[in-house]
């Protein structure tokens, strides 16, 4: 299949959206930008389209998809038992990087929800995404537009890298603003639970609906509890080379990484380093990538997946990384980094 990569501009916007909407209405797939990461879209109410999404990504079919909507009122057709909390959260954060898990209505096929009786819903904050959802009939199921297991794409070229030949169209809206996937909050039970940390922090959620907790599986050691978001159990975001995080007092971390570089070089290995701008000049390795200034969580989040993909291109044998503060958006950054490292952390 030929994959068209179309750069969205003011001139081609409405014609392109019309064309892409037609593909979706006919059961095909279109990748598109959102404010978080690029999504791989199909009609959420068409089970055959959902099956195509799993096939194109190589994704296990028990890992449910997020349904993207463009109008709040459209939520009623795909959910049951909508509650006040969901309304308040959507008023506060939609369109935006928050996904809510609610009980699903019969209109949503089990192929879209990975066999679950709940459905994940979000309204993305991106003009192209919103126009496309409307053109497609209101409901687009879209996981991140990467091959399953790879870092999520933050630029259209990365989508092309993974999905060229597998889908008919990719809409290029440039680099995304946030760079990590939406916060997921489960509202299907009595207690709201954060299943995946993201740009919308627990503090921000608390201001709107009161106390919220993290899914215990997010904070407990690897393997102790099954995560409630099926996707969180898979190895994910991972570069091809082994990634090892070094955590602790910054001076000691730098010393440790410097000695690890020496050891790897003695073994003839090509080394990649991921660090803050402040310590970039401390390391002498084949590739030393800075994610941003320490404390600039937004920049670090925006760069993370792209930098992980750059290591793949440069074919390093091993990657050592500094860790970042786990406050605010830093919680989401470290959640992705720990998963990308397959939980390999050296605490010093
Ligand atoms: O920012 C985002 O959310 C991006 C953009 C494209 O919107 N999408 C995204 O989708 O990250 P995906 O498929 O890569 O991640 C969806 C996550 C998975 O971990 C999945 O298991 C979880 O959401 N999920 C979806 N439906 C669920 C449900 N009904 N119950 C629990 N977890 C669910
Ligand atoms: Mg994903």
């Amino acid at each position: 299949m030929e994959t068209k990569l179309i750069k969205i501009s003011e001139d081609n916007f409405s014609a392109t959206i019309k064309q892409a909407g037609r593909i979706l209405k006919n059961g095909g797939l279109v990748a598109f930008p959102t404010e978080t990461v690029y999504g791989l879209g199909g009609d959420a109410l068409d089970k055959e389209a959902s099956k195509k999404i799993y096939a194109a990504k190589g994704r296990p079919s028990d890992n449910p998809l997020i349904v993207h909507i463009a109008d709040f009122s459209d939520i009623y057709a795909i959910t049951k038992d909508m509650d006040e909390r969901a309304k308040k959260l959507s008023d506060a954060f939609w369109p935006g990087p928050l996904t809510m898990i609610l009980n699903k209505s019969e209109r949503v096929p089990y192929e879209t929800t990975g066999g679950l009786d709940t459905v994940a819903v979000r309204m993305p904050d991106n003009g192209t995404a919103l126009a496309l959802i409307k053109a497609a009939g209101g409901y687009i199921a879209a996981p991140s537009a990467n091959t399953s297991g790879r870092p999520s794409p933050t630029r259209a070229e990365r989508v092309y890298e993974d999905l060229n030949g597998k889908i008919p169209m990719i809409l290029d809206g440039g680099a995304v603003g946030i760079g990590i996937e939406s916060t997921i909050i489960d509202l299907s039970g009595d207690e709201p639970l954060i299943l995946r940390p993201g740009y919308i922090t627990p503090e921000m959620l608390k201001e709107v609906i009161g106390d919220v907790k993290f899914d215990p599986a997010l904070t407990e050691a690897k393997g102790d509890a099954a995560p409630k978001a099926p996707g969180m159990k898979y190895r994910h975001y991972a570069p091809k080379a082994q990634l090892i995080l070094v955590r602790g007092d910054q001076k000691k971390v730098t010393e440790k990484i410097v000695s690890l570089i020496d050891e790897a070089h003695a073994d003839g290995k090509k080394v990649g380093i991921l660090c803050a701008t402040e310590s970039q000049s401390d390391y002498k390795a084949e590739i030393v990538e800075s994610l941003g200034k320490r404390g600039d969580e937004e920049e670090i989040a925006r760069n993370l997946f792209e930098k992980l993909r750059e290591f793949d291109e440069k074919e390093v044998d091993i990657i050592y990384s500094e860790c970042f503060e786990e406050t605010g958006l830093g919680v989401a950054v470290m959640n992705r980094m720990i998963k990308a490292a397959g939980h390999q952390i050296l605490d010093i």
Side-chain angles (χ1 to χ4, degrees):
M1 179 187 300
E2 193 212 341
T3 302
K4 275 194 196 148
L5 177 61
I6 303 179
K7 197 159 186 58
I8 300 280
S9 69
E10 234 170 84
D11 292 342
N12 69 13
F13 187 83
S14 40
T16 306
I17 294 294
K18 219 187 237 171
Q19 204 188 346
R22 217 177 296 130
I23 293 176
L24 290 164
K25 279 191 164 160
N26 288 328
L29 306 185
V30 175
F32 61 97
T34 80
E35 80 281 34
T36 56
V37 299
Y38 273 75
L40 171 59
D43 182 346
L45 306 184
D46 174 353
K47 63 180 182 195
E48 297 307 323
S50 289
K51 285 188 195 164
K52 283 186 195 166
I53 292 177
Y54 289 104
K57 275 181 68 86
R59 174 172 174 135
S61 60
D62 68 342
N63 187 2
L65 309 174
I66 296 174
V67 179
H68 295 66
I69 60 173
D71 263 314
F72 181 78
S73 58
D74 289 338
I75 202 170
Y76 293 100
I78 55 168
T79 58
K80 277 195 309 208
D81 325 317
M82 260 283 295
D83 66 25
E84 273 310 305
R85 299 172 304 181
K87 277 193 206 127
K88 283 185 185 162
L89 288 173
S90 70
D91 279 346
F93 301 115
W94 280 2
L98 179 70
T99 295
M100 300 195 258
I101 310 282
L102 297 158
N103 290 320
K104 83 170 192 75
S105 77
E106 262 147 40
R107 281 193 70 189
V108 188
Y110 282 114
E111 282 75 6
T112 300
T113 66
L116 297 176
D117 287 314
T118 52
V119 60
V121 193
R122 118 168 170 91
M123 191 191 291
D125 187 12
N126 177 287
T128 299
L130 292 170
L132 184 66
I133 295 164
K134 286 184 188 154
Y139 304 96
I140 297 185
S144 49
N146 50 286
T147 297
S148 191
R150 294 205 76 198
S152 302
T154 56
R155 296 193 287 134
E157 293 82 355
R158 297 305 191 182
V159 180
Y160 190 80
E161 195 175 287
D162 283 11
L163 299 176
N164 179 28
K166 296 185 174 159
I167 61 172
M169 187 178 284
I170 300 169
L171 302 182
D172 181 355
V176 301
I178 293 179
I180 54 176
E181 308 85 347
S182 60
T183 303
I184 302 180
I185 185 164
D186 185 354
L187 296 173
S188 66
D190 291 337
E191 278 212 331
L193 266 190
I194 297 174
L195 307 189
R196 179 173 72 182
Y199 188 85
I200 306 292
T201 61
E203 294 74 28
M204 293 158 82
L205 295 166
K206 260 175 218 167
E207 276 186 29
V208 182
I209 54 164
D211 205 26
V212 291
K213 293 196 171 63
F214 280 114
D215 178 1
L218 285 175
T219 43
E220 276 164 30
K222 180 189 176 190
D224 282 2
K228 289 192 74 188
M232 299 303 278
K233 74 175 180 256
Y234 294 106
R235 179 177 148 87
H236 211 161
Y237 317 117
K240 289 174 189 149
Q242 188 183 21
L243 166 66
I244 296 171
L245 310 182
V246 185
R247 187 165 61 186
D249 168 70
Q250 187 49 47
K251 198 164 159 278
K252 286 191 189 143
V253 166
T254 305
E255 280 167 17
K256 181 71 184 172
I257 293 180
V258 167
S259 76
L260 287 167
I261 296 172
D262 286 345
E263 282 169 34
H265 281 165
D267 289 342
K269 287 183 178 156
K270 208 169 152 183
V271 183
I273 300 295
L274 211 48
C275 61
T277 310
E278 290 86 341
S279 39
Q280 201 172 9
S281 61
D282 294 333
Y283 304 118
K284 305 277 173 287
E286 280 71 16
I287 301 149
V288 182
E289 295 277 12
S290 140
L291 284 177
K293 287 208 196 72
R294 210 165 281 290
D296 189 347
E297 291 158 357
E298 304 219 349
E299 198 194 345
I300 293 168
R302 198 158 39 236
N303 287 327
L304 179 63
F305 288 142
E306 182 57 25
K307 296 291 181 193
L308 287 173
R309 279 184 179 247
E310 282 176 21
F311 286 121
D312 285 350
E313 273 169 9
K314 291 171 185 159
E315 297 185 333
V316 293
D317 300 306
I318 189 148
I319 306 162
Y320 295 110
S321 176
E322 296 182 345
C323 288
F324 296 90
E325 202 73 56
E326 288 197 50
T327 53
L329 182 55
V331 175
V333 167
M334 285 310 299
N335 166 268
R336 305 311 191 271
M337 286 186 75
I338 290 170
K339 285 176 68 63
H343 294 262
Q344 292 202 71
I345 308 172
L346 284 176
D347 275 305
I348 51 162

